[in-house]
Amino acid sequence: MSILEIRGLTVEFPGRKNTFVAARDVTLSIDPGKILGVVGESGAGKSTVGNAVIGLLENPGRIGAGEIYVHGERIDNLPQKKMRELRGKRIGMIFQDPLTSLDPLQTVEFQLVETMLQHLPLSKSEAQQRAIELLDQVGIPNPAERVKQYPHQFSGGMRQRVVIALALCAEPEVVIADEPTTALDVSIQAQILELMKKLCTEKNVAMLVITHDMGVIAEITDHVAVMYRGNLVEYGESHQILGAPTHEYTKSLIAAVPRPDVKVHRFPQVDYIEGSAKPFKQIDISTHWLGQSRDYKPVDGALLSVKNIDMKFLTKNAWIPKNRQYFSALKQVSFDIQPGETFGLVGESGSGKSTVARVITGLYHPSGGTVHFAGQELTSLSDRKQVLAMRRQMQMIFQDPYSSLNSRMRVRDIVAEPIKFHKLASTNTECFRIVDDLLDHVGLGSAAGKKYPHEFSGGQRQRISIARALATRPRFLLCDEPTSALDVSIQAQILNLLKDLQDELGLTMLFISHDLAVIRQMCNRTGVMRFGELLEVQETEALFETPQHAYTKELLSLMPSMDILSRDNLEEEVA
Amino acid sequence: MTEQTTMPEQDVAKGRIARILDSDIFHSFIRSKVTVIAAIVTAVLMISAFLAPWIAPHDPFDLAQISILDARVPPVGMAYHDPRFLLGTDDQGRDMLSGILYGMRISLAVGFLSVAFAAVLGIFLGLLSGYVGGRTDAIIMRIAEIQLTFPAILIALLIDGVANGIFGNLDRERWAVWILTFSIGLSFWVQYARTVRGSTMVEKNKEYVQAARVIGIPSFIIMFRHVLPNVMGPVLVIATINLALAIITEATLSFLGVGVPATQPSLGTLIRIGNDFLFSGEWWIAIFPGLTLAILVLAVNLLGDWMRDALNPKLR
């Protein structure tokens, strides 16, 4: 018999003008000891389902129709007070960000004991004893000592373990995990997923995992529900749905997932996602503006050469230089990038990969080492004219499409700014003609220019970013996690666009990502970074087949396995 | 968020006014009755002050129209009133209503000018301080902190005193409004500088600023073209609330006798004159300008409060 049952759940958010239906007629059930994954892209309504179950819908959301049962008992119409007793006691919750879901002012013990005393008939000392046992169960070493500590004394992964202990402490029958590993690094994600799976079977709870990540779904779930715009489009056993999806949306979603094991030429054009199916128009580079006056000197050997870069950030200032304390973000980093290649940098958060990009573009001045670009030393350049000439040749695409565009400027002014600044067009009319053309070329249509950035979605904003980067006619493009803030299907489109542009314009790229699967799709050669050090550099294929450094091996082994994912529609690239 | 390349066309076609009427901010404005009333009151007061030379029944500056025989006539409705003077007259026989209308002109002018002066100075120093950082920031902020240890009135009094010494009594009358504006503005800039500095420090780390730097745009242009428009929201709110504060400061200074001279009365000057007669029963000379001042300041403040809430996404 299933523990959690959701029947025909419809969640509505009444607005000023119309009612927005966040989830429509969703029917799901979970058996004890099983994990149900709800997968979908942002706005699909997956979190809404979780919040509806636990009775924490954000205002003004309400359940419009449907019923929710825990163990055959209807809970969706319970009064607030009853619902409060239920939360924690019968339904546990694991949140996305472990940095904010624990109270920083209380010890871990206090938080665990408080929850247990609320829901279980235990004495205080029994609860304390159980708190230690729980920490042990979730794999925290020295539980008796650590239970007395405050959340900030735990690392991100450890904190997520504490959050899991907190969710399980009152022995709930149902646990809802909303994006439990999204805020964590790959290596920690693997451990947490394993732990969740183990505890789920051991404690015989029904677990609802909400995620956008097909890797997570493939790794731990028994059943999966695919949601699209509030609708449940497919629901069934995981291997069935992932291996042989029947709904078009599921198919396109699975096809868009970058795999660590297959390199695709281009991601399949997904026509299920609205407004995407604009095929890339090849332009004649010899006559097009983007190809004009590519007056750069050809280089022999490497286009970009980074030698022994050190980067130190001051963490504690002092009058006497000896007493100053520094944090070393980069230690002796050296690599070369050949013209026309895509060089990947991969690493977990804090590995210094973004710092490398900022040193190359001159946003940071390195503490030591040199950067040569097209034979010119960059770090010692002082002549403004020369600096500008260099700046023009390299452009950057940023991670967060929401903060990388000035929200007070129209899109065409944003894209026109570099053209005007570098005087690449003689008249205003010519300049805007170029802008319209660029916007069209990145797949937005020239009408987009008259609007402001907030009128666009994340993927479209990233296209604007790309158009702006192309506007100086660069030959070197730095992409700093260009797709990590985007949904998979949109990520696939942006990656395709970058590949197309590179082929067409012969761009050289530095591609930074934390996602090995994306790196595999994009890069010719790849460097692995950790704690500011470049551990190894190899051809990407070789890196995946025969990793040299122990850390690379570890990273590769921790990637969620996607073997069961369907391979329909994938055009594999033959090396 | 899903990709939508085709935007609804009617959104583009809709005029600017239609879009403003449809916006959430306008909606929150219409829904708050207090704010609508405050806006109407402010508008009426401002327009009538602006139109004073045309709508005021008398010209309080025209000596030919003033007769000492009309002095201290009570307002209409009381014994011995004179129908020519709706709100009575002051000790020199000037019509109170006209005096208030003209006085409001000066009060509002000083208020707007000093707020503009303070805002320009504060925004510039705040931007510089936040964007450049380091030593520039330290120096500007220390000056601001020193200034904060003196009450605004004290600074205004000080500057007024110094100006008095420089210009002498005669010239002072001519320059009074400007001296007042300068001294009030100078005591208010700190608030703008601090707010703008804080927002600038947040904005300058955003990626659009880095993108501009990667393009090669010089810092000065980035500061004004990219950062400035993005930090203006809170400035507008402070400016509205400061407007009320500036009007009060002007009134206080005029009340103390260091503001505008008695020949071109502001609301504060009128209240000061009335203060002398408050205990001899001629209450209207002080009460009417005082009431006008209170209503004006209250209305502007209410508008400012609403603006603060409406523009703050966290409170929505």
Side-chain angles (χ1 to χ4, degrees), chain B residues 119-178:
Chain B
V120 169
L121 185 68
I123 289 169
F124 179 74
L125 290 176
L127 260 183
L128 203 67
S129 186
Y131 193 81
V132 179
R135 205 160 291 171
T136 318
D137 177 38
I139 292 170
I140 294 175
M141 281 301 117
R142 289 311 83 77
I143 294 174
E145 274 154 24
I146 291 168
Q147 167 140 21
L148 273 184
T149 59
F150 296 100
I153 288 279
L154 208 60
I155 292 177
L157 273 175
L158 188 79
I159 294 170
D160 192 75
V162 172
N164 213 352
I166 296 171
F167 290 120
N169 245 344
L170 244 175
D171 273 350
R172 187 176 162 266
E173 297 217 341
R174 211 177 329 137
W175 292 102
V177 170
W178 297 107

Coordinates of all heavy atoms in Angstrom, one line a residue, chain B residues 119-178:
Chain B
A119 N 21.3 66.2 -3.5 CA 21.3 64.9 -4.2 C 22.4 64.9 -5.2 O 23.1 63.9 -5.3 CB 19.9 64.8 -5.0
V120 N 22.6 66.0 -5.9 CA 23.7 65.9 -6.9 C 25.0 65.7 -6.2 O 25.8 64.9 -6.6 CB 23.7 67.3 -7.7 CG1 25.0 67.4 -8.6 CG2 22.5 67.3 -8.6
L121 N 25.3 66.5 -5.2 CA 26.5 66.4 -4.5 C 26.7 65.0 -3.9 O 27.7 64.3 -4.0 CB 26.6 67.4 -3.4 CG 27.9 67.6 -2.6 CD1 29.0 68.1 -3.5 CD2 27.7 68.5 -1.4
G122 N 25.6 64.5 -3.2 CA 25.7 63.2 -2.5 C 25.8 62.1 -3.5 O 26.6 61.2 -3.3
I123 N 25.1 62.1 -4.6 CA 25.2 61.0 -5.6 C 26.6 61.0 -6.2 O 27.2 59.9 -6.3 CB 24.1 61.2 -6.7 CG1 22.7 61.0 -6.1 CG2 24.4 60.3 -7.8 CD1 21.7 61.4 -7.1
F124 N 27.1 62.1 -6.5 CA 28.5 62.2 -7.1 C 29.5 61.6 -6.1 O 30.3 60.7 -6.5 CB 28.8 63.6 -7.5 CG 30.2 63.7 -8.1 CD1 30.4 63.2 -9.4 CD2 31.3 64.2 -7.4 CE1 31.7 63.3 -10.0 CE2 32.5 64.3 -7.9 CZ 32.7 63.8 -9.2
L125 N 29.5 62.1 -4.9 CA 30.5 61.6 -3.9 C 30.3 60.2 -3.6 O 31.2 59.4 -3.4 CB 30.5 62.5 -2.7 CG 31.0 63.9 -2.9 CD1 30.8 64.7 -1.6 CD2 32.4 63.9 -3.3
G126 N 29.0 59.8 -3.5 CA 28.7 58.4 -3.2 C 29.1 57.4 -4.3 O 29.7 56.4 -4.0
L127 N 28.9 57.8 -5.5 CA 29.3 57.0 -6.6 C 30.8 56.8 -6.6 O 31.4 55.7 -6.7 CB 28.9 57.6 -8.0 CG 27.7 57.2 -8.7 CD1 27.6 57.9 -10.0 CD2 27.8 55.7 -9.0
L128 N 31.5 57.9 -6.5 CA 33.0 57.9 -6.5 C 33.5 57.1 -5.4 O 34.3 56.2 -5.5 CB 33.4 59.4 -6.3 CG 34.8 59.7 -6.7 CD1 34.8 59.7 -8.3 CD2 35.2 61.1 -6.3
S129 N 32.9 57.3 -4.2 CA 33.3 56.5 -3.0 C 33.1 55.0 -3.2 O 34.0 54.2 -2.9 CB 32.5 57.1 -1.8 OG 32.9 56.6 -0.7
G130 N 31.9 54.7 -3.6 CA 31.6 53.2 -3.8 C 32.4 52.6 -4.9 O 32.8 51.4 -4.8
Y131 N 32.5 53.3 -6.0 CA 33.1 52.6 -7.2 C 34.6 52.6 -7.1 O 35.2 51.6 -7.4 CB 32.7 53.4 -8.5 CG 33.0 52.5 -9.7 CD1 32.2 51.5 -10.1 CD2 34.2 52.8 -10.4 CE1 32.5 50.7 -11.2 CE2 34.5 52.0 -11.5 CZ 33.6 51.0 -11.9 OH 33.9 50.2 -13.0
V132 N 35.2 53.7 -6.7 CA 36.7 53.7 -6.6 C 37.2 53.0 -5.4 O 38.1 52.2 -5.4 CB 37.2 55.2 -6.6 CG1 38.7 55.2 -6.5 CG2 36.7 55.9 -7.9
G133 N 36.5 53.2 -4.3 CA 36.9 52.5 -3.0 C 38.2 53.0 -2.5 O 38.7 54.1 -2.9
G134 N 38.8 52.2 -1.6 CA 40.2 52.5 -1.1 C 40.3 53.8 -0.4 O 39.4 54.1 0.4
R135 N 41.3 54.5 -0.7 CA 41.6 55.8 0.0 C 40.5 56.8 -0.3 O 40.1 57.5 0.7 CB 43.0 56.3 -0.4 CG 43.6 57.1 0.7 CD 45.1 57.2 0.5 NE 45.7 56.0 0.8 CZ 47.0 55.7 0.5 NH1 47.8 56.7 0.0 NH2 47.6 54.6 0.8
T136 N 40.1 56.9 -1.5 CA 39.1 57.9 -1.9 C 37.8 57.7 -1.0 O 37.3 58.6 -0.4 CB 38.6 57.8 -3.3 OG1 39.8 57.5 -4.1 CG2 37.9 58.9 -3.8
D137 N 37.4 56.4 -0.9 CA 36.3 56.1 -0.1 C 36.5 56.5 1.3 O 35.6 57.1 1.9 CB 36.1 54.5 -0.3 CG 34.9 54.0 0.6 OD1 33.9 54.8 0.6 OD2 35.0 52.9 1.1
A138 N 37.6 56.1 1.9 CA 37.9 56.4 3.3 C 37.8 57.9 3.5 O 37.1 58.3 4.5 CB 39.3 55.9 3.6
I139 N 38.4 58.7 2.7 CA 38.4 60.2 2.9 C 37.0 60.7 2.9 O 36.5 61.4 3.8 CB 39.3 60.9 1.9 CG1 40.7 60.5 2.2 CG2 39.1 62.4 2.0 CD1 41.7 61.0 1.1
I140 N 36.2 60.4 1.8 CA 34.9 60.9 1.6 C 34.0 60.5 2.8 O 33.2 61.3 3.4 CB 34.2 60.4 0.3 CG1 35.0 61.1 -0.9 CG2 32.8 60.8 0.2 CD1 34.6 60.6 -2.2
M141 N 34.1 59.2 3.2 CA 33.2 58.7 4.2 C 33.6 59.3 5.6 O 32.7 59.5 6.4 CB 33.3 57.2 4.3 CG 32.4 56.5 3.2 SD 30.7 57.0 3.3 CE 30.5 57.9 1.8
R142 N 34.9 59.6 5.9 CA 35.2 60.2 7.1 C 34.6 61.6 7.2 O 34.1 62.0 8.2 CB 36.8 60.3 7.3 CG 37.5 58.9 7.6 CD 36.9 58.1 8.7 NE 35.8 57.2 8.2 CZ 35.9 56.1 7.5 NH1 37.1 55.7 7.1 NH2 34.9 55.4 7.1
I143 N 34.7 62.3 6.1 CA 34.1 63.7 6.1 C 32.6 63.6 6.4 O 32.1 64.3 7.2 CB 34.4 64.3 4.7 CG1 35.9 64.6 4.5 CG2 33.6 65.7 4.6 CD1 36.2 65.1 3.1
A144 N 32.0 62.6 5.7 CA 30.6 62.4 5.9 C 30.3 62.1 7.4 O 29.3 62.7 8.0 CB 30.1 61.3 5.0
E145 N 31.1 61.3 8.0 CA 30.9 60.9 9.4 C 31.0 62.1 10.3 O 30.3 62.3 11.3 CB 31.8 59.8 9.8 CG 31.2 58.4 9.4 CD 32.2 57.4 9.2 OE1 33.3 57.5 9.8 OE2 31.9 56.4 8.5
I146 N 32.1 62.9 10.0 CA 32.3 64.1 10.8 C 31.0 65.0 10.7 O 30.5 65.5 11.7 CB 33.5 64.9 10.4 CG1 34.8 64.0 10.7 CG2 33.6 66.3 11.0 CD1 36.0 64.5 10.1
Q147 N 30.6 65.2 9.5 CA 29.4 66.0 9.3 C 28.2 65.5 10.0 O 27.4 66.2 10.6 CB 29.1 66.1 7.8 CG 27.7 66.7 7.6 CD 27.8 67.7 6.4 OE1 28.6 67.6 5.5 NE2 26.8 68.5 6.4
L148 N 28.1 64.2 10.1 CA 26.9 63.5 10.8 C 26.9 63.8 12.3 O 25.9 63.7 12.9 CB 26.9 62.0 10.5 CG 26.2 61.5 9.3 CD1 26.2 60.0 9.3 CD2 24.8 62.0 9.2
T149 N 28.1 64.2 12.8 CA 28.1 64.4 14.3 C 27.4 65.8 14.6 O 27.1 66.1 15.8 CB 29.5 64.4 14.8 OG1 30.3 65.4 14.2 CG2 30.1 63.0 14.6
F150 N 27.3 66.7 13.6 CA 26.6 67.9 13.8 C 25.2 67.9 13.4 O 24.9 67.3 12.3 CB 27.3 69.1 13.0 CG 28.7 69.3 13.5 CD1 29.8 68.8 12.7 CD2 29.0 70.1 14.6 CE1 31.1 69.0 13.1 CE2 30.3 70.3 15.0 CZ 31.3 69.8 14.2
P151 N 24.2 68.4 14.2 CA 22.9 68.4 13.7 C 22.7 69.3 12.5 O 23.5 70.3 12.4 CB 22.1 69.0 14.9 CG 23.0 69.0 16.0 CD 24.4 68.9 15.5
A152 N 21.8 69.0 11.6 CA 21.6 69.7 10.3 C 21.4 71.2 10.6 O 22.0 72.0 9.9 CB 20.5 69.1 9.5
I153 N 20.6 71.5 11.6 CA 20.2 72.9 11.9 C 21.5 73.7 12.2 O 21.7 74.8 11.8 CB 19.2 72.9 13.1 CG1 17.9 72.4 12.6 CG2 19.1 74.3 13.6 CD1 17.1 73.5 11.9
L154 N 22.4 73.0 13.0 CA 23.6 73.7 13.5 C 24.4 74.0 12.3 O 25.0 75.2 12.2 CB 24.3 72.7 14.4 CG 25.2 73.4 15.5 CD1 24.3 74.3 16.4 CD2 25.9 72.4 16.3
I155 N 24.6 73.1 11.3 CA 25.4 73.4 10.2 C 24.8 74.5 9.4 O 25.5 75.4 8.9 CB 25.5 72.1 9.3 CG1 26.3 71.1 10.0 CG2 26.2 72.4 8.0 CD1 26.4 69.7 9.3
A156 N 23.5 74.5 9.2 CA 22.8 75.5 8.4 C 23.0 76.9 9.1 O 23.3 77.9 8.5 CB 21.3 75.2 8.3
L157 N 22.9 76.9 10.4 CA 23.1 78.1 11.2 C 24.5 78.7 11.0 O 24.7 79.8 10.8 CB 22.9 77.9 12.7 CG 21.4 78.0 13.2 CD1 21.4 77.6 14.7 CD2 21.0 79.4 13.0
L158 N 25.5 77.7 11.0 CA 26.9 78.1 10.9 C 27.1 78.7 9.5 O 27.7 79.8 9.4 CB 27.7 76.8 11.0 CG 29.2 77.0 11.1 CD1 29.6 77.5 12.5 CD2 30.0 75.8 10.7
I159 N 26.7 78.0 8.5 CA 26.9 78.6 7.1 C 26.2 79.9 6.9 O 26.7 80.8 6.4 CB 26.4 77.5 6.1 CG1 27.2 76.3 6.1 CG2 26.4 78.2 4.7 CD1 26.7 75.1 5.4
D160 N 25.0 80.0 7.5 CA 24.2 81.2 7.4 C 25.0 82.4 8.1 O 25.1 83.5 7.6 CB 22.9 81.0 8.0 CG 22.0 82.2 7.7 OD1 21.5 82.2 6.5 OD2 21.7 83.1 8.5
G161 N 25.6 82.0 9.2 CA 26.3 83.1 10.0 C 27.5 83.5 9.2 O 27.8 84.7 9.1
V162 N 28.2 82.6 8.6 CA 29.4 82.9 7.8 C 29.0 83.8 6.6 O 29.7 84.8 6.4 CB 30.2 81.6 7.4 CG1 31.3 82.0 6.4 CG2 30.7 80.9 8.6
A163 N 28.0 83.3 6.0 CA 27.5 84.1 4.8 C 27.1 85.5 5.2 O 27.4 86.5 4.5 CB 26.3 83.4 4.1
N164 N 26.5 85.6 6.3 CA 26.1 86.9 6.8 C 27.3 87.8 7.0 O 27.3 89.0 6.6 CB 25.4 86.7 8.2 CG 24.3 87.7 8.4 OD1 24.2 88.6 7.6 ND2 23.6 87.5 9.5
G165 N 28.4 87.2 7.5 CA 29.6 88.0 7.7 C 30.2 88.4 6.4 O 30.7 89.6 6.3
I166 N 30.1 87.6 5.4 CA 30.7 87.9 4.1 C 29.9 89.0 3.4 O 30.4 90.0 2.9 CB 30.8 86.6 3.2 CG1 31.8 85.7 3.9 CG2 31.3 87.0 1.8 CD1 31.8 84.3 3.3
F167 N 28.6 88.8 3.3 CA 27.8 89.6 2.4 C 27.3 90.9 3.1 O 27.0 91.8 2.4 CB 26.5 88.8 2.0 CG 26.8 87.8 1.0 CD1 26.5 86.4 1.2 CD2 27.5 88.1 -0.2 CE1 26.8 85.5 0.3 CE2 27.8 87.1 -1.1 CZ 27.5 85.8 -0.8
G168 N 27.3 90.9 4.4 CA 26.7 92.0 5.1 C 25.2 92.0 5.0 O 24.6 91.2 4.3
N169 N 24.6 92.9 5.7 CA 23.1 92.8 5.9 C 22.3 93.1 4.6 O 21.3 92.4 4.4 CB 22.7 93.7 7.0 CG 22.1 93.0 8.2 OD1 21.8 91.8 8.0 ND2 22.0 93.6 9.3
L170 N 22.8 94.0 3.9 CA 22.0 94.5 2.7 C 22.0 93.4 1.6 O 21.0 92.9 1.2 CB 22.6 95.7 2.1 CG 21.7 96.9 2.2 CD1 22.4 98.2 1.7 CD2 20.4 96.7 1.4
D171 N 23.2 92.9 1.3 CA 23.3 91.9 0.2 C 22.7 90.6 0.7 O 22.2 89.9 -0.1 CB 24.8 91.6 -0.1 CG 25.3 92.5 -1.1 OD1 24.5 93.2 -1.7 OD2 26.5 92.6 -1.4
R172 N 22.7 90.4 2.0 CA 22.2 89.2 2.5 C 20.7 89.0 2.1 O 20.3 87.9 1.7 CB 22.3 89.1 4.0 CG 21.9 87.8 4.6 CD 22.1 87.8 6.1 NE 21.3 86.6 6.6 CZ 20.1 86.8 7.0 NH1 19.5 87.9 7.0 NH2 19.4 85.7 7.4
E173 N 19.9 90.0 2.1 CA 18.5 89.9 1.7 C 18.4 89.3 0.3 O 17.6 88.5 0.0 CB 17.8 91.2 1.8 CG 17.8 91.8 3.2 CD 16.6 92.5 3.5 OE1 15.9 92.9 2.6 OE2 16.2 92.6 4.7
R174 N 19.3 89.8 -0.6 CA 19.2 89.4 -2.0 C 19.6 87.9 -2.1 O 19.1 87.2 -2.9 CB 20.1 90.3 -2.8 CG 19.5 90.4 -4.2 CD 20.3 91.3 -5.1 NE 21.0 92.4 -4.5 CZ 22.3 92.8 -4.8 NH1 22.9 92.1 -5.7 NH2 22.9 93.8 -4.3
W175 N 20.6 87.5 -1.3 CA 21.1 86.2 -1.5 C 20.5 85.2 -0.5 O 20.8 84.0 -0.6 CB 22.7 86.2 -1.2 CG 23.4 86.9 -2.2 CD1 23.9 88.2 -2.2 CD2 23.7 86.5 -3.5 NE1 24.5 88.5 -3.3 CE2 24.4 87.5 -4.2 CE3 23.5 85.3 -4.2 CZ2 24.9 87.4 -5.5 CZ3 24.0 85.1 -5.5 CH2 24.7 86.2 -6.1
A176 N 19.6 85.7 0.3 CA 19.1 84.8 1.4 C 18.6 83.4 0.9 O 19.0 82.4 1.5 CB 17.9 85.5 2.1
V177 N 17.8 83.4 -0.2 CA 17.3 82.1 -0.6 C 18.4 81.2 -1.0 O 18.4 80.0 -0.7 CB 16.3 82.4 -1.8 CG1 15.9 81.0 -2.4 CG2 15.1 83.1 -1.3
W178 N 19.4 81.7 -1.7 CA 20.5 80.9 -2.2 C 21.4 80.4 -1.0 O 21.8 79.2 -1.0 CB 21.3 81.6 -3.2 CG 20.5 81.9 -4.4 CD1 20.0 83.2 -4.7 CD2 20.0 81.0 -5.3 NE1 19.3 83.1 -5.8 CE2 19.2 81.8 -6.3 CE3 20.1 79.7 -5.5 CZ2 18.6 81.2 -7.3 CZ3 19.5 79.1 -6.6 CH2 18.7 79.9 -7.5

